[in-house]
Amino acid sequence: MSLMFIDSVIFACIVLLILQCRRKTGSRRLPPGPKPLPVIGNLHLLGDKPHVSLTKLSKAYGPLMSLKLGQVTAIVLSSSEMAKEILQTHDRVFSSRAVPDAVAALNLNVHEMTWLEVSDKWRNLRKIGNKYIVSTAKLEAGQDLRRKKVQDLLQEVGKCCQDGKAVDIAQASFRTTLNLLSNTFFSMDLADTSSENAREFRDVVKAIMDVVGKPNLSDHFPVLRFLDPQGIRRQTGVLCKKLLDIFDRISDERLRSRRKTDQSSTKSDVLDTLLDIAEDKNVDFDLDAIRYLFLELFTAGNDTTSSTLEWAMTELLRNPKAMSRAREELRENIGVGNTVEESDTSRLPYLHAIIKETFRLHPPAPFLIPRKSGSDVEINGFVIPKGATILINAWAIGRDPKIWENPEEFMPERFLDSDTDFRGSNFRLIPFGGGRRICPGLPLATRMLHLMLGSLIHSFEWEVEEKEYLGVEEDFGITLHKARALRALPVRFTS
Ligand code: HEM
């Protein structure tokens, strides 16, 4: 009897152990994905347009998919439901970043909010950004400076119009965005073509985008990091140092003029506000933090905004009906001969719909900025393992036929009677990400975009010399650019 009892207990223990192991191995199941090859894993499947390749793969493996990219486990999410799991349901666990090796240069990873873990330092930087850079009051205060910069753009385009010359929209919008940002931050032009300093600045920002956007072996094989085999970290360091030097010169000059003049005659722009904060010994924010903050704001905000403008203009030129409707709305609400103001744009729902539709089809950061899993998390019965890189495919979500009717078509009308917005609460449209790490530059970016696009199409009629300029071929990089730059002809002044 007692032997039988012992046998039963041992049997029960074994069954329990098996069940537990099963549950463990079961719950440890990674999401489905293509079989990895030795060493490279699935790297060969990425191609030169990873957002397109991964969208195709997700059709076979589903909206929650795992890949092995060299040594790194990556989880790819391609539906709005899955994006919500990451950006809302499990926002806390997925709130840190997969930090690329390039940003170990100059310790960018420990200075820039983009790469910091959610921490007191990160919170402090976000708070400073939200309160002193992109708060409504601050943005309202910078309106006049931005208006002047858009007038400069219109003048430049007007000259091309008179001379019958085409405008390289990407270049013009890159320059204007740079000036809009530099005027918002420190009341001066950084993209004045006549200044050597400004030309250098523009070239360096572009070069940083190119270098950081290159696929880096060190990111897929962390064991190689110490070698920096493609020199990406080194080049990033050299380039960022150049920008930091420019910011140092600007801050030093401002400090000198602050010492000379009385406080009441200071510019009260973002730089002045940040210098005031840096003087407060009770706040963990100093001159070093200011230069890194500017570096990050320019690199995060310039290319994304200017590339969106180029896509919007391209889509409008490809879709003359949408262009006419937008111009009609501007004529009715702004009036011929008047200039578009930031405050006007709330009366322009079709213009808003155009920007949303542009973000849907052409999110500047197709995988957002990759996150990292902070612990094992179970989603839909699969395990996202701790440390995995999280790629949210915003490009695939924007073209998901389950969400969007005729997803490949540019139809701003779809947003007119819809409450879908890109401010992080609707996971069908997430060009700025979501959750606690949502892009803090969103209010500034949308103001700049509505103002630039509204002004360009209100003031001129546009055409293209060659149809090729209207191609929607993409060039994958840190920002999703148009492969063939748009050269558009301003053919007539209309206001
Ligand atoms: C069309 C324009 C822009 C787009 C589409 C865009 C997109 C994004 C995305 C997708 C993220 C990651 C969000 C996430 O992880 O959930 C991000 C983060 C960030 N963006 Fe933007 N951005 C734009 C403009 C700007 C501007 C103008 C600025 C500043 C002037 C800016 C500053 C930042 C910063 C500092 C972060 C990092 C935030 C953090 O990690 O806490 N962005 N942006």
Side-chain angles (χ1 to χ4, degrees), residues 87 97 113-115 122 126 134 181 185 296-298 300-302 304-305 308 359 363-365 368-369 371 430-442 444-445 448-449:
L87 299 175
R97 301 262 181 225
M113 82 176 93
T114 310
W115 312 113
W122 173 83
R126 286 221 40 140
V134 295
L181 290 174
F185 299 154
E296 134 160 86
L297 297 180
F298 277 102
N302 203 83
T304 41
T305 309
T308 306
F359 277 137
L368 309 183
I369 303 178
R371 308 277 189 96
I430 46 167
F432 293 96
R436 69 191 65 199
R437 291 211 88 133
I438 192 169
C439 172
L442 188 157
L444 176 56
M448 294 192 291
L449 279 171

mmCIF file of all heavy atoms in Angstrom, residues 87 97 113-115 122 126 134 181 185 296-298 300-302 304-305 308 359 363-365 368-369 371 430-442 444-445 448-449, ligand 1:
data_model
loop_
_atom_site.group_PDB
_atom_site.id
_atom_site.type_symbol
_atom_site.label_atom_id
_atom_site.label_comp_id
_atom_site.label_asym_id
_atom_site.label_seq_id
_atom_site.Cartn_x
_atom_site.Cartn_y
_atom_site.Cartn_z
ATOM 1 N N LEU A 87 2.830 49.403 -28.329
ATOM 2 C CA LEU A 87 2.857 50.840 -28.001
ATOM 3 C C LEU A 87 1.886 51.217 -26.892
ATOM 4 O O LEU A 87 1.964 52.293 -26.337
ATOM 5 C CB LEU A 87 2.539 51.667 -29.259
ATOM 6 C CG LEU A 87 3.513 51.494 -30.432
ATOM 7 C CD1 LEU A 87 3.036 52.274 -31.661
ATOM 8 C CD2 LEU A 87 4.913 51.975 -30.050
ATOM 9 N N ARG A 97 15.147 51.326 -26.296
ATOM 10 C CA ARG A 97 15.508 51.223 -27.712
ATOM 11 C C ARG A 97 16.523 50.121 -27.965
ATOM 12 O O ARG A 97 17.347 49.810 -27.098
ATOM 13 C CB ARG A 97 16.173 52.517 -28.171
ATOM 14 C CG ARG A 97 15.319 53.743 -27.997
ATOM 15 C CD ARG A 97 14.641 54.091 -29.272
ATOM 16 N NE ARG A 97 13.833 55.290 -29.117
ATOM 17 C CZ ARG A 97 12.607 55.402 -29.570
ATOM 18 N NH1 ARG A 97 12.035 54.411 -30.219
ATOM 19 N NH2 ARG A 97 11.929 56.521 -29.403
ATOM 20 N N MET A 113 18.127 61.816 -25.727
ATOM 21 C CA MET A 113 16.931 61.167 -25.155
ATOM 22 C C MET A 113 16.486 59.980 -26.000
ATOM 23 O O MET A 113 15.967 59.004 -25.505
ATOM 24 C CB MET A 113 15.797 62.183 -24.976
ATOM 25 C CG MET A 113 14.985 62.489 -26.198
ATOM 26 S SD MET A 113 13.614 63.590 -25.856
ATOM 27 C CE MET A 113 14.307 65.179 -26.209
ATOM 28 N N THR A 114 16.727 60.065 -27.315
ATOM 29 C CA THR A 114 16.301 58.983 -28.211
ATOM 30 C C THR A 114 16.830 57.621 -27.771
ATOM 31 O O THR A 114 16.154 56.608 -27.938
ATOM 32 C CB THR A 114 16.799 59.281 -29.649
ATOM 33 O OG1 THR A 114 16.423 60.606 -29.982
ATOM 34 C CG2 THR A 114 16.234 58.302 -30.655
ATOM 35 N N TRP A 115 18.055 57.601 -27.234
ATOM 36 C CA TRP A 115 18.681 56.301 -26.937
ATOM 37 C C TRP A 115 18.669 55.933 -25.461
ATOM 38 O O TRP A 115 19.008 54.810 -25.099
ATOM 39 C CB TRP A 115 20.135 56.286 -27.470
ATOM 40 C CG TRP A 115 20.184 56.786 -28.866
ATOM 41 C CD1 TRP A 115 20.763 57.926 -29.317
ATOM 42 C CD2 TRP A 115 19.561 56.182 -30.013
ATOM 43 N NE1 TRP A 115 20.536 58.080 -30.655
ATOM 44 C CE2 TRP A 115 19.814 57.030 -31.117
ATOM 45 C CE3 TRP A 115 18.815 55.012 -30.224
ATOM 46 C CZ2 TRP A 115 19.347 56.749 -32.398
ATOM 47 C CZ3 TRP A 115 18.352 54.729 -31.492
ATOM 48 C CH2 TRP A 115 18.618 55.594 -32.561
ATOM 49 N N TRP A 122 16.068 60.766 -18.889
ATOM 50 C CA TRP A 122 15.196 60.791 -20.082
ATOM 51 C C TRP A 122 13.948 61.638 -19.804
ATOM 52 O O TRP A 122 13.564 62.483 -20.602
ATOM 53 C CB TRP A 122 14.821 59.340 -20.452
ATOM 54 C CG TRP A 122 13.801 59.248 -21.537
ATOM 55 C CD1 TRP A 122 14.033 59.326 -22.884
ATOM 56 C CD2 TRP A 122 12.382 59.052 -21.398
ATOM 57 N NE1 TRP A 122 12.854 59.208 -23.576
ATOM 58 C CE2 TRP A 122 11.830 59.028 -22.685
ATOM 59 C CE3 TRP A 122 11.533 58.887 -20.300
ATOM 60 C CZ2 TRP A 122 10.466 58.853 -22.921
ATOM 61 C CZ3 TRP A 122 10.174 58.712 -20.530
ATOM 62 C CH2 TRP A 122 9.654 58.696 -21.824
ATOM 63 N N ARG A 126 12.731 65.001 -21.766
ATOM 64 C CA ARG A 126 11.420 65.083 -22.435
ATOM 65 C C ARG A 126 10.627 66.252 -21.858
ATOM 66 O O ARG A 126 9.939 66.957 -22.586
ATOM 67 C CB ARG A 126 10.629 63.779 -22.273
ATOM 68 C CG ARG A 126 11.189 62.689 -23.155
ATOM 69 C CD ARG A 126 10.247 61.800 -23.856
ATOM 70 N NE ARG A 126 9.058 62.236 -24.454
ATOM 71 C CZ ARG A 126 8.610 61.788 -25.622
ATOM 72 N NH1 ARG A 126 9.331 60.944 -26.322
ATOM 73 N NH2 ARG A 126 7.459 62.169 -26.099
ATOM 74 N N VAL A 134 8.435 72.637 -27.540
ATOM 75 C CA VAL A 134 7.264 72.393 -28.404
ATOM 76 C C VAL A 134 5.937 72.654 -27.699
ATOM 77 O O VAL A 134 4.890 72.199 -28.168
ATOM 78 C CB VAL A 134 7.273 70.958 -29.001
ATOM 79 C CG1 VAL A 134 8.430 70.764 -29.941
ATOM 80 C CG2 VAL A 134 7.287 69.903 -27.906
ATOM 81 N N LEU A 181 13.762 75.179 -38.246
ATOM 82 C CA LEU A 181 14.222 74.646 -36.953
ATOM 83 C C LEU A 181 15.217 75.604 -36.301
ATOM 84 O O LEU A 181 15.088 75.932 -35.123
ATOM 85 C CB LEU A 181 14.878 73.266 -37.134
ATOM 86 C CG LEU A 181 13.952 72.098 -37.505
ATOM 87 C CD1 LEU A 181 14.755 70.834 -37.789
ATOM 88 C CD2 LEU A 181 12.966 71.825 -36.372
ATOM 89 N N PHE A 185 14.801 77.458 -32.772
ATOM 90 C CA PHE A 185 15.681 77.177 -31.632
ATOM 91 C C PHE A 185 16.566 78.366 -31.254
ATOM 92 O O PHE A 185 16.697 78.702 -30.105
ATOM 93 C CB PHE A 185 16.580 75.972 -31.914
ATOM 94 C CG PHE A 185 15.807 74.698 -32.169
ATOM 95 C CD1 PHE A 185 16.347 73.682 -32.939
ATOM 96 C CD2 PHE A 185 14.537 74.531 -31.637
ATOM 97 C CE1 PHE A 185 15.634 72.511 -33.173
ATOM 98 C CE2 PHE A 185 13.818 73.370 -31.871
ATOM 99 C CZ PHE A 185 14.364 72.361 -32.640
ATOM 100 N N GLU A 296 20.491 66.312 -31.494
ATOM 101 C CA GLU A 296 19.448 65.301 -31.660
ATOM 102 C C GLU A 296 18.205 65.881 -32.331
ATOM 103 O O GLU A 296 17.593 65.263 -33.180
ATOM 104 C CB GLU A 296 19.181 64.721 -30.266
ATOM 105 C CG GLU A 296 17.785 64.554 -29.817
ATOM 106 C CD GLU A 296 17.698 63.553 -28.677
ATOM 107 O OE1 GLU A 296 17.880 63.983 -27.538
ATOM 108 O OE2 GLU A 296 17.437 62.369 -28.939
ATOM 109 N N LEU A 297 17.843 67.123 -31.983
ATOM 110 C CA LEU A 297 16.639 67.708 -32.565
ATOM 111 C C LEU A 297 16.822 67.939 -34.063
ATOM 112 O O LEU A 297 15.908 67.691 -34.857
ATOM 113 C CB LEU A 297 16.276 69.015 -31.861
ATOM 114 C CG LEU A 297 15.915 68.887 -30.386
ATOM 115 C CD1 LEU A 297 15.568 70.232 -29.783
ATOM 116 C CD2 LEU A 297 14.752 67.916 -30.167
ATOM 117 N N PHE A 298 18.013 68.406 -34.462
ATOM 118 C CA PHE A 298 18.223 68.628 -35.890
ATOM 119 C C PHE A 298 18.277 67.314 -36.661
ATOM 120 O O PHE A 298 17.718 67.202 -37.740
ATOM 121 C CB PHE A 298 19.516 69.421 -36.142
ATOM 122 C CG PHE A 298 19.320 70.899 -35.985
ATOM 123 C CD1 PHE A 298 19.730 71.552 -34.844
ATOM 124 C CD2 PHE A 298 18.689 71.635 -36.979
ATOM 125 C CE1 PHE A 298 19.533 72.912 -34.688
ATOM 126 C CE2 PHE A 298 18.480 72.998 -36.832
ATOM 127 C CZ PHE A 298 18.903 73.637 -35.685
ATOM 128 N N ALA A 300 16.924 64.441 -35.798
ATOM 129 C CA ALA A 300 15.628 63.731 -35.794
ATOM 130 C C ALA A 300 14.559 64.481 -36.576
ATOM 131 O O ALA A 300 13.655 63.878 -37.131
ATOM 132 C CB ALA A 300 15.142 63.551 -34.345
ATOM 133 N N GLY A 301 14.675 65.819 -36.641
ATOM 134 C CA GLY A 301 13.554 66.591 -37.164
ATOM 135 C C GLY A 301 13.670 67.062 -38.591
ATOM 136 O O GLY A 301 12.665 67.342 -39.241
ATOM 137 N N ASN A 302 14.904 67.157 -39.106
ATOM 138 C CA ASN A 302 15.049 67.810 -40.403
ATOM 139 C C ASN A 302 14.664 66.926 -41.589
ATOM 140 O O ASN A 302 13.795 67.260 -42.395
ATOM 141 C CB ASN A 302 16.501 68.264 -40.552
ATOM 142 C CG ASN A 302 16.602 69.391 -41.538
ATOM 143 O OD1 ASN A 302 16.378 70.542 -41.202
ATOM 144 N ND2 ASN A 302 16.869 69.070 -42.763
ATOM 145 N N THR A 304 13.198 63.986 -41.687
ATOM 146 C CA THR A 304 11.834 63.425 -41.613
ATOM 147 C C THR A 304 10.813 64.422 -42.157
ATOM 148 O O THR A 304 9.965 64.076 -42.988
ATOM 149 C CB THR A 304 11.479 63.133 -40.136
ATOM 150 O OG1 THR A 304 11.969 64.205 -39.327
ATOM 151 C CG2 THR A 304 12.056 61.838 -39.656
ATOM 152 N N THR A 305 10.922 65.683 -41.723
ATOM 153 C CA THR A 305 9.940 66.682 -42.127
ATOM 154 C C THR A 305 10.100 67.026 -43.612
ATOM 155 O O THR A 305 9.118 67.063 -44.363
ATOM 156 C CB THR A 305 10.103 67.962 -41.265
ATOM 157 O OG1 THR A 305 10.101 67.571 -39.895
ATOM 158 C CG2 THR A 305 8.992 68.948 -41.509
ATOM 159 N N THR A 308 8.900 64.349 -45.991
ATOM 160 C CA THR A 308 7.429 64.260 -46.055
ATOM 161 C C THR A 308 6.874 65.308 -47.016
ATOM 162 O O THR A 308 5.947 65.046 -47.781
ATOM 163 C CB THR A 308 6.814 64.466 -44.646
ATOM 164 O OG1 THR A 308 7.411 63.546 -43.752
ATOM 165 C CG2 THR A 308 5.305 64.263 -44.649
ATOM 166 N N PHE A 359 1.486 60.563 -44.838
ATOM 167 C CA PHE A 359 2.106 59.752 -43.776
ATOM 168 C C PHE A 359 1.705 58.284 -43.894
ATOM 169 O O PHE A 359 2.474 57.392 -43.579
ATOM 170 C CB PHE A 359 1.684 60.262 -42.397
ATOM 171 C CG PHE A 359 2.497 61.430 -41.898
ATOM 172 C CD1 PHE A 359 1.884 62.502 -41.276
ATOM 173 C CD2 PHE A 359 3.880 61.447 -42.029
ATOM 174 C CE1 PHE A 359 2.628 63.580 -40.800
ATOM 175 C CE2 PHE A 359 4.638 62.521 -41.555
ATOM 176 C CZ PHE A 359 4.009 63.585 -40.948
ATOM 177 N N PRO A 363 5.488 56.739 -44.546
ATOM 178 C CA PRO A 363 5.978 57.099 -43.200
ATOM 179 C C PRO A 363 7.497 57.286 -43.272
ATOM 180 O O PRO A 363 8.201 56.392 -43.744
ATOM 181 C CB PRO A 363 5.614 55.866 -42.352
ATOM 182 C CG PRO A 363 5.496 54.735 -43.340
ATOM 183 C CD PRO A 363 5.023 55.343 -44.625
ATOM 184 N N PRO A 364 8.010 58.441 -42.833
ATOM 185 C CA PRO A 364 9.449 58.687 -42.984
ATOM 186 C C PRO A 364 10.307 57.634 -42.284
ATOM 187 O O PRO A 364 11.394 57.311 -42.745
ATOM 188 C CB PRO A 364 9.655 60.052 -42.326
ATOM 189 C CG PRO A 364 8.322 60.686 -42.321
ATOM 190 C CD PRO A 364 7.312 59.596 -42.250
ATOM 191 N N ALA A 365 9.828 57.096 -41.150
ATOM 192 C CA ALA A 365 10.578 56.056 -40.444
ATOM 193 C C ALA A 365 9.728 54.771 -40.522
ATOM 194 O O ALA A 365 8.888 54.540 -39.651
ATOM 195 C CB ALA A 365 10.807 56.472 -39.001
ATOM 196 N N LEU A 368 9.580 52.858 -37.473
ATOM 197 C CA LEU A 368 9.687 53.796 -36.350
ATOM 198 C C LEU A 368 11.163 53.853 -35.925
ATOM 199 O O LEU A 368 12.036 53.755 -36.790
ATOM 200 C CB LEU A 368 8.770 53.369 -35.190
ATOM 201 C CG LEU A 368 7.314 53.093 -35.583
ATOM 202 C CD1 LEU A 368 6.476 52.754 -34.346
ATOM 203 C CD2 LEU A 368 6.689 54.245 -36.353
ATOM 204 N N ILE A 369 11.424 54.002 -34.633
ATOM 205 C CA ILE A 369 12.818 53.847 -34.179
ATOM 206 C C ILE A 369 12.799 52.583 -33.329
ATOM 207 O O ILE A 369 12.087 52.527 -32.318
ATOM 208 C CB ILE A 369 13.298 55.055 -33.345
ATOM 209 C CG1 ILE A 369 13.151 56.354 -34.167
ATOM 210 C CG2 ILE A 369 14.763 54.866 -32.942
ATOM 211 C CD1 ILE A 369 13.545 57.613 -33.414
ATOM 212 N N ARG A 371 12.520 49.510 -31.015
ATOM 213 C CA ARG A 371 12.504 49.357 -29.553
ATOM 214 C C ARG A 371 13.192 48.044 -29.205
ATOM 215 O O ARG A 371 13.540 47.243 -30.075
ATOM 216 C CB ARG A 371 11.054 49.303 -29.055
ATOM 217 C CG ARG A 371 10.154 50.442 -29.519
ATOM 218 C CD ARG A 371 10.321 51.652 -28.644
ATOM 219 N NE ARG A 371 9.332 52.677 -28.937
ATOM 220 C CZ ARG A 371 8.189 52.837 -28.270
ATOM 221 N NH1 ARG A 371 7.860 52.018 -27.291
ATOM 222 N NH2 ARG A 371 7.354 53.821 -28.567
ATOM 223 N N ILE A 430 0.605 55.518 -37.616
ATOM 224 C CA ILE A 430 1.566 55.757 -36.527
ATOM 225 C C ILE A 430 2.923 56.285 -37.034
ATOM 226 O O ILE A 430 3.975 55.783 -36.623
ATOM 227 C CB ILE A 430 1.786 54.465 -35.698
ATOM 228 C CG1 ILE A 430 1.986 53.249 -36.630
ATOM 229 C CG2 ILE A 430 0.675 54.226 -34.717
ATOM 230 C CD1 ILE A 430 2.499 52.019 -35.921
ATOM 231 N N PRO A 431 2.908 57.316 -37.891
ATOM 232 C CA PRO A 431 4.213 57.801 -38.384
ATOM 233 C C PRO A 431 5.091 58.351 -37.261
ATOM 234 O O PRO A 431 6.316 58.388 -37.396
ATOM 235 C CB PRO A 431 3.820 58.916 -39.362
ATOM 236 C CG PRO A 431 2.480 59.389 -38.889
ATOM 237 C CD PRO A 431 1.788 58.144 -38.372
ATOM 238 N N PHE A 432 4.479 58.797 -36.158
ATOM 239 C CA PHE A 432 5.254 59.362 -35.048
ATOM 240 C C PHE A 432 5.391 58.361 -33.900
ATOM 241 O O PHE A 432 5.812 58.738 -32.802
ATOM 242 C CB PHE A 432 4.580 60.638 -34.529
ATOM 243 C CG PHE A 432 4.591 61.780 -35.517
ATOM 244 C CD1 PHE A 432 3.501 62.033 -36.336
ATOM 245 C CD2 PHE A 432 5.708 62.598 -35.634
ATOM 246 C CE1 PHE A 432 3.508 63.085 -37.244
ATOM 247 C CE2 PHE A 432 5.721 63.659 -36.542
ATOM 248 C CZ PHE A 432 4.618 63.899 -37.351
ATOM 249 N N GLY A 433 5.048 57.107 -34.126
ATOM 250 C CA GLY A 433 5.124 56.116 -33.055
ATOM 251 C C GLY A 433 3.962 56.287 -32.092
ATOM 252 O O GLY A 433 2.887 56.775 -32.461
ATOM 253 N N GLY A 434 4.188 55.883 -30.832
ATOM 254 C CA GLY A 434 3.109 55.978 -29.847
ATOM 255 C C GLY A 434 3.633 55.697 -28.461
ATOM 256 O O GLY A 434 4.834 55.442 -28.267
ATOM 257 N N GLY A 435 2.730 55.748 -27.487
ATOM 258 C CA GLY A 435 3.116 55.457 -26.105
ATOM 259 C C GLY A 435 4.035 56.521 -25.553
ATOM 260 O O GLY A 435 4.096 57.637 -26.058
ATOM 261 N N ARG A 436 4.767 56.132 -24.493
ATOM 262 C CA ARG A 436 5.563 57.158 -23.811
ATOM 263 C C ARG A 436 6.707 57.692 -24.665
ATOM 264 O O ARG A 436 7.258 58.747 -24.372
ATOM 265 C CB ARG A 436 6.054 56.632 -22.467
ATOM 266 C CG ARG A 436 7.088 55.533 -22.555
ATOM 267 C CD ARG A 436 7.327 54.896 -21.211
ATOM 268 N NE ARG A 436 6.096 54.218 -20.765
ATOM 269 C CZ ARG A 436 5.852 53.885 -19.510
ATOM 270 N NH1 ARG A 436 6.732 54.166 -18.583
ATOM 271 N NH2 ARG A 436 4.742 53.244 -19.200
ATOM 272 N N ARG A 437 7.081 56.931 -25.726
ATOM 273 C CA ARG A 437 8.214 57.410 -26.523
ATOM 274 C C ARG A 437 7.775 58.045 -27.830
ATOM 275 O O ARG A 437 8.584 58.240 -28.748
ATOM 276 C CB ARG A 437 9.161 56.247 -26.795
ATOM 277 C CG ARG A 437 9.849 55.804 -25.532
ATOM 278 C CD ARG A 437 11.204 55.254 -25.769
ATOM 279 N NE ARG A 437 12.222 56.251 -25.769
ATOM 280 C CZ ARG A 437 13.369 56.141 -25.096
ATOM 281 N NH1 ARG A 437 13.605 55.096 -24.372
ATOM 282 N NH2 ARG A 437 14.287 57.081 -25.179
ATOM 283 N N ILE A 438 6.507 58.388 -27.919
ATOM 284 C CA ILE A 438 6.019 59.038 -29.144
ATOM 285 C C ILE A 438 6.892 60.258 -29.466
ATOM 286 O O ILE A 438 7.441 60.882 -28.548
ATOM 287 C CB ILE A 438 4.534 59.450 -28.980
ATOM 288 C CG1 ILE A 438 3.949 59.852 -30.331
ATOM 289 C CG2 ILE A 438 4.376 60.553 -27.946
ATOM 290 C CD1 ILE A 438 2.437 60.016 -30.318
ATOM 291 N N CYS A 439 7.021 60.543 -30.750
ATOM 292 C CA CYS A 439 7.891 61.649 -31.169
ATOM 293 C C CYS A 439 7.508 62.957 -30.478
ATOM 294 O O CYS A 439 6.388 63.443 -30.631
ATOM 295 C CB CYS A 439 7.785 61.828 -32.675
ATOM 296 S SG CYS A 439 8.642 63.292 -33.259
ATOM 297 N N PRO A 440 8.446 63.556 -29.723
ATOM 298 C CA PRO A 440 8.110 64.822 -29.064
ATOM 299 C C PRO A 440 8.062 65.992 -30.041
ATOM 300 O O PRO A 440 7.528 67.047 -29.709
ATOM 301 C CB PRO A 440 9.256 64.998 -28.056
ATOM 302 C CG PRO A 440 10.385 64.201 -28.604
ATOM 303 C CD PRO A 440 9.811 63.092 -29.409
ATOM 304 N N GLY A 441 8.605 65.790 -31.254
ATOM 305 C CA GLY A 441 8.630 66.895 -32.229
ATOM 306 C C GLY A 441 7.338 67.012 -33.033
ATOM 307 O O GLY A 441 7.214 67.902 -33.874
ATOM 308 N N LEU A 442 6.368 66.122 -32.757
ATOM 309 C CA LEU A 442 5.128 66.086 -33.544
ATOM 310 C C LEU A 442 4.448 67.455 -33.722
ATOM 311 O O LEU A 442 4.155 67.838 -34.868
ATOM 312 C CB LEU A 442 4.179 65.072 -32.891
ATOM 313 C CG LEU A 442 2.897 64.695 -33.598
ATOM 314 C CD1 LEU A 442 2.411 63.331 -33.128
ATOM 315 C CD2 LEU A 442 1.791 65.695 -33.442
ATOM 316 N N LEU A 444 5.615 70.470 -33.648
ATOM 317 C CA LEU A 444 6.406 71.370 -34.491
ATOM 318 C C LEU A 444 6.413 70.862 -35.938
ATOM 319 O O LEU A 444 6.221 71.623 -36.886
ATOM 320 C CB LEU A 444 7.834 71.456 -33.931
ATOM 321 C CG LEU A 444 8.847 72.277 -34.724
ATOM 322 C CD1 LEU A 444 8.361 73.707 -34.938
ATOM 323 C CD2 LEU A 444 10.205 72.310 -34.011
ATOM 324 N N ALA A 445 6.604 69.555 -36.103
ATOM 325 C CA ALA A 445 6.662 68.977 -37.452
ATOM 326 C C ALA A 445 5.353 69.242 -38.202
ATOM 327 O O ALA A 445 5.373 69.637 -39.373
ATOM 328 C CB ALA A 445 6.928 67.477 -37.366
ATOM 329 N N MET A 448 5.044 72.888 -39.272
ATOM 330 C CA MET A 448 5.939 73.225 -40.391
ATOM 331 C C MET A 448 5.396 72.644 -41.698
ATOM 332 O O MET A 448 5.402 73.294 -42.733
ATOM 333 C CB MET A 448 7.349 72.668 -40.125
ATOM 334 C CG MET A 448 8.060 73.321 -38.952
ATOM 335 S SD MET A 448 9.814 72.926 -38.858
ATOM 336 C CE MET A 448 9.823 71.194 -38.431
ATOM 337 N N LEU A 449 4.903 71.404 -41.633
ATOM 338 C CA LEU A 449 4.437 70.742 -42.852
ATOM 339 C C LEU A 449 3.214 71.424 -43.439
ATOM 340 O O LEU A 449 3.157 71.698 -44.645
ATOM 341 C CB LEU A 449 4.104 69.274 -42.544
ATOM 342 C CG LEU A 449 5.299 68.344 -42.519
ATOM 343 C CD1 LEU A 449 4.899 66.984 -41.992
ATOM 344 C CD2 LEU A 449 5.895 68.218 -43.919
HETATM 345 C C1 HEM B 1 7.548 64.329 -40.100
HETATM 346 C C2 HEM B 1 8.313 64.499 -39.069
HETATM 347 C C3 HEM B 1 8.683 63.468 -38.039
HETATM 348 C C4 HEM B 1 8.404 62.122 -37.962
HETATM 349 C C5 HEM B 1 7.582 61.297 -38.935
HETATM 350 C C6 HEM B 1 9.013 61.614 -36.756
HETATM 351 C C7 HEM B 1 8.942 60.295 -36.337
HETATM 352 C C8 HEM B 1 9.451 59.833 -35.143
HETATM 353 C C9 HEM B 1 9.308 58.470 -34.663
HETATM 354 C C10 HEM B 1 8.606 57.348 -35.406
HETATM 355 C C11 HEM B 1 9.903 58.398 -33.448
HETATM 356 C C12 HEM B 1 9.965 57.154 -32.552
HETATM 357 C C13 HEM B 1 8.692 57.075 -31.741
HETATM 358 C C14 HEM B 1 8.485 55.786 -30.989
HETATM 359 O O1 HEM B 1 9.453 55.091 -30.652
HETATM 360 O O2 HEM B 1 7.328 55.449 -30.690
HETATM 361 C C15 HEM B 1 10.464 59.700 -33.155
HETATM 362 C C16 HEM B 1 11.178 60.016 -32.016
HETATM 363 C C17 HEM B 1 11.763 61.232 -31.806
HETATM 364 N N1 HEM B 1 11.614 62.375 -32.573
HETATM 365 FE FE1 HEM B 1 10.549 62.548 -34.278
HETATM 366 N N2 HEM B 1 9.646 62.643 -36.113
HETATM 367 C C18 HEM B 1 9.466 63.791 -36.851
HETATM 368 C C19 HEM B 1 9.903 65.069 -36.528
HETATM 369 C C20 HEM B 1 10.600 65.393 -35.405
HETATM 370 C C21 HEM B 1 10.996 66.732 -35.038
HETATM 371 C C22 HEM B 1 10.653 67.992 -35.824
HETATM 372 C C23 HEM B 1 11.708 66.622 -33.877
HETATM 373 C C24 HEM B 1 12.338 67.698 -33.040
HETATM 374 C C25 HEM B 1 12.546 68.895 -33.408
HETATM 375 C C26 HEM B 1 11.763 65.219 -33.515
HETATM 376 C C27 HEM B 1 12.409 64.714 -32.412
HETATM 377 C C28 HEM B 1 12.330 63.384 -31.995
HETATM 378 C C29 HEM B 1 13.009 62.879 -30.801
HETATM 379 C C30 HEM B 1 13.925 63.676 -29.863
HETATM 380 C C31 HEM B 1 12.637 61.518 -30.687
HETATM 381 C C32 HEM B 1 13.075 60.529 -29.607
HETATM 382 C C33 HEM B 1 12.057 60.499 -28.473
HETATM 383 C C34 HEM B 1 12.346 59.448 -27.399
HETATM 384 O O3 HEM B 1 12.973 58.451 -27.692
HETATM 385 O O4 HEM B 1 11.892 59.626 -26.268
HETATM 386 N N3 HEM B 1 11.068 64.508 -34.459
HETATM 387 N N4 HEM B 1 10.156 60.568 -34.202
#
